[in-house]
Amino acid sequence: MQRTRRGLLGVGAAAVAGLSGCLGVEGVEYPDAASEDPPNADGGDGDGGDEGDGNADEQVDGDDAGPVANEALAAATRHVVDDAVWFATEYPSAVETYRAAIREVVAEIDDVRDEADANDAVTVEMADRLDEAGRAAADTAADALEPHFHPRSRIVSRTERHVEELRTFAPRGDVDRFLEELSRMHSNFAAVGTATYVDEAFSREPIHNRLLDRLLYPLPDDPEERRRVRGGAFVELGLASRGFSAFSHEPYDDEEHDRDRIPRIYGNAFEAARREELRARLGPIPRSEDRTEELFVAFAARPEAGNRPSETFEGWAHELDGVPLYVQRYPDAATASDRLDEAIAAASTEGRAPIDPDATAAGSDFSGNATAGEGGGSDETDGEAATDEGPTRWHRLYHHEAEGERYGYDEHAGVQYGYVVQAGEFVLATGFSGDAWEERTGWQGRLADGWAVV
């Protein structure tokens, strides 16, 4: 479902659902799967997004032919979580496979050069060997990295460019020119096998391949608006279930900007203290029993490169006031439904409402409740199935904290107000704040550009 407007909210919109304030739930602790954020391995990214891969209507439920709760949101969430898991688990071996494939080509070039030197003769068969080696490397690299990245065309084009020259000069017996081209081919392939090249071409810090597109799904159709949304996004990912974190945004052009004018972001994305703080704010929603993945996401505005060093952002990621989104994955939709029921039973709800700011502005009252005549049915309707008449409707859930954050601070119990919904095998939560739903507007901030607002 394509929203009619993206980026309705200004970059400076108040993200009341941020992570500030006094938090606490007496006697409750929510430990991570990993006690600390491990440093992220070197990686690189640069193929851009696979923009045709954001089909949020794709059904991936195996043989289950029954209805899927909020199917479009479930599919979009599945794409994001699956890609995040790939970066956390398979990326290191994938880039090592790529580099090993490139080393095989370089080794074959060395063998051909040694043979030509020893015999003072060159043949077309030598060029054919290198053509075969380059194409084999392209296949190996593609098997490892696609569809996340697309190395095949890069390797094939390099191979063809050099092999064409080798096939020109081999029949002429021009050993000198043949060896010169071998030297160029060697340098070219050695360069694309370095860690520095991988960091730029297949990056996971920052991630800006198709996962960025999936985080911002659905991107606008208009190319200029698409560039604006993509270029203005700064997303933090913390996959606590895998001990992985990363930033996702377009990289800064260090050729266009001096180093001291490029923003500096300290620390890792969604570090442990912030995860604990968000879990406390969510109250009964975190449910570890049977949970297979736990993903923390925060949507913020990407700091602009400064015109002067004194104007350039330099600080910690939490200072960007990203709006958090919390995702739990369970083995199946039935388990997710049970966990949501348990969370609701431990808290209180007041109807349902979309979190899409467009829908709230156009078809809801100030609190987010549906007005008369709006599609989507009553707030109290049973079931989670989305309709074609409007965006996903979330439970408006609230729970009491051990400490307040408003009038009496820690003298009186406070209430956290937010939104929670089931989508297939996922339970998602966002917008939790000490401010009630009807007392805040524009809380979505850059979340309005994210995949969950469908």
Side-chain angles (χ1 to χ4, degrees):
M1 173 170 41
Q2 177 70 46
R3 293 192 288 284
T4 57
R5 289 184 292 139
R6 298 303 301 258
L8 171 70
L9 308 172
V11 171
V16 182
L19 303 180
S20 61
C22 300
L23 300 175
V25 179
E26 281 187 348
V28 179
E29 295 182 356
Y30 305 99
D32 278 344
S35 59
E36 296 181 359
D37 287 326
N40 291 331
D42 288 339
D45 154 59
D47 272 346
D50 184 355
E51 296 173 358
D53 237 351
N55 177 17
D57 293 323
E58 179 181 332
Q59 177 76 31
V60 194
D61 278 341
D63 296 330
D64 184 6
V68 177
N70 296 314
E71 182 174 355
L73 177 58
T77 304
R78 192 174 299 120
H79 284 151
V80 168
V81 173
D82 285 349
D83 273 13
V85 170
W86 182 85
F87 271 105
T89 60
E90 298 183 44
Y91 174 88
S93 62
V95 296
E96 179 52 38
T97 297
Y98 164 84
R99 295 186 66 189
I102 296 299
R103 288 194 293 269
E104 288 292 328
V105 179
V106 173
E108 190 67 19
I109 295 170
D110 287 339
D111 288 346
V112 169
R113 183 170 54 189
D114 291 345
E115 183 179 336
D117 270 335
N119 298 329
D120 193 24
V122 293
T123 65
V124 173
E125 287 73 17
M126 292 177 175
D128 292 341
R129 282 170 54 189
L130 296 179
D131 183 61
E132 182 179 350
R135 294 181 185 279
D139 290 341
T140 299
D143 289 343
L145 289 169
E146 291 183 355
H148 304 275
F149 301 100
H150 302 280
R152 183 190 300 275
S153 61
R154 299 182 182 203
I155 298 174
V156 170
S157 65
R158 281 176 171 78
T159 300
E160 290 178 342
R161 182 167 66 251
H162 294 292
V163 167
E164 181 179 358
E165 296 297 321
L166 296 174
R167 284 173 173 161
T168 297
F169 293 101
R172 300 173 184 173
D174 192 339
V175 177
D176 189 54
R177 179 64 181 86
F178 190 96
L179 291 175
E180 180 185 34
E181 192 63 32
L182 278 182
S183 180
R184 292 175 180 173
M185 187 176 186
H186 184 283
S187 297
N188 202 334
F189 272 89
V192 300
T194 63
T196 299
Y197 177 86
V198 169
D199 286 349
E200 295 177 356
F202 314 119
S203 177
R204 79 168 179 178
E205 194 57 82
I207 294 171
H208 57 97
N209 73 327
R210 73 171 187 178
L211 177 52
L212 179 57
D213 289 345
R214 289 180 162 186
L215 288 164
L216 301 176
Y217 175 86
L219 283 163
D221 293 329
D222 178 70
E224 183 175 347
E225 182 69 4
R226 189 184 190 93
R227 284 191 295 270
R228 183 196 68 78
V229 171
R230 216 173 182 276
F234 184 94
V235 186
E236 297 179 70
L237 299 169
L239 194 60
S241 49
R242 306 281 179 167
F244 170 75
S245 66
F247 298 111
S248 182
H249 61 86
E250 288 192 347
Y252 293 94
D253 188 345
D254 56 7
E255 294 183 0
E256 179 181 353
H257 304 288
D258 294 337
R259 182 180 297 273
D260 59 2
R261 297 183 182 181
I262 295 177
R264 296 183 182 181
I265 311 295
Y266 299 131
N268 293 329
F270 237 121
E271 293 184 308
R274 292 174 63 205
R275 294 197 298 269
E276 289 296 319
E277 195 172 10
L278 180 57
R279 289 192 189 101
R281 192 177 286 275
L282 293 169
I285 291 174
R287 300 268 162 178
S288 61
E289 184 183 359
D290 300 321
R291 186 174 61 203
T292 59
E293 304 294 349
E294 184 185 29
L295 177 67
F296 296 78
V297 187
F299 290 86
R302 176 177 175 265
E304 295 183 1
N307 293 324
R308 292 181 298 177
S310 61
E311 298 175 349
T312 303
F313 177 84
E314 183 174 358
W316 300 87
H318 69 83
E319 296 175 14
L320 297 174
D321 293 326
V323 180
L325 174 68
Y326 180 68
V327 181
Q328 298 176 99
R329 185 181 213 166
Y330 294 96
D332 48 52
T335 304
S337 179
D338 289 344
R339 299 297 166 262
L340 178 59
D341 288 346
E342 292 167 2
I344 290 176
S348 302
T349 59
E350 286 188 13
R352 294 179 185 165
I355 63 171
D356 185 344
D358 292 352
T360 300
S364 301
D365 63 26
F366 188 68
S367 70
N369 281 321
T371 57
E374 183 195 0
S378 165
D379 281 336
E380 300 302 332
T381 319
D382 290 335
E384 296 282 355
T387 72
D388 294 332
E389 300 176 11
T392 303
R393 304 181 68 76
W394 297 53
H395 292 278
R396 300 199 308 170
L397 181 144
Y398 65 96
H399 68 92
H400 289 78
E401 290 190 297
E403 297 178 352
E405 60 181 64
R406 297 179 62 81
Y407 178 78
Y409 297 102
D410 58 355
E411 297 178 13
H412 305 286
V415 172
Q416 284 289 313
Y417 301 84
Y419 298 84
V420 63
V421 73
Q422 179 201 351
E425 69 270 31
F426 302 98
V427 174
L428 299 88
T430 190
F432 275 77
S433 168
D435 294 323
W437 313 287
E438 61 269 20
E439 292 185 340
R440 54 186 156 126
T441 57
W443 65 267
Q444 297 93 339
R446 283 284 177 172
L447 177 65
D449 291 327
W451 90 90
V453 187
V454 296

